[in-house]
Amino acid sequence: MALFQTGVQYQFYHSLGLILVGIVAQRYQGSILLSAAGLLMAVGILLFSGSLYALSMTGISSLGIITPIGGVAFIGAWLLLALSAWRS
């Protein structure tokens, strides 16, 4: 249950992050950094939260290998969003 809860928590936070990226992208249309940040955040949700959901439901421990890749995608997304804000 703790794994599932962690997946939900990170999905929630990064869904808010996706909304933030969308709001900022309306102001700075055509920004490649913002597009990449949004893509990485979506990939991070899919890999990080998705792997935790699958792991909690199936118990297949090898699915845990995917989780850090999603975490790296989250970090990259936030860095790109910060870089985009800094450049503007």
Side-chain angles (χ1 to χ4, degrees), residues 21-86:
V21 168
I23 291 170
V24 173
Q26 282 183 336
R27 182 147 193 240
Y28 301 103
Q29 293 179 353
S31 172
I32 294 172
L33 291 175
L34 288 174
S35 297
L39 180 65
L40 279 177
M41 211 165 282
V43 167
I45 290 171
L46 188 80
L47 294 178
F48 187 88
S49 295
S51 67
L52 289 178
Y53 296 150
L55 178 61
S56 68
M57 288 188 217
T58 64
I60 301 171
S61 61
S62 62
L63 291 171
I65 296 170
I66 300 169
T67 308
I69 299 169
V72 170
F74 284 153
I75 292 168
W78 288 110
L79 288 174
L80 287 175
L81 183 59
L83 181 61
S84 174
W86 183 67

Side-chain angles (χ1 to χ4, degrees), residues 2-17:
L3 288 174
F4 194 86
Q5 182 180 1
T6 301
V8 169
Q9 189 176 20
Y10 276 80
Q11 182 177 355
F12 174 73
Y13 294 146
H14 291 89
S15 296
L16 293 177

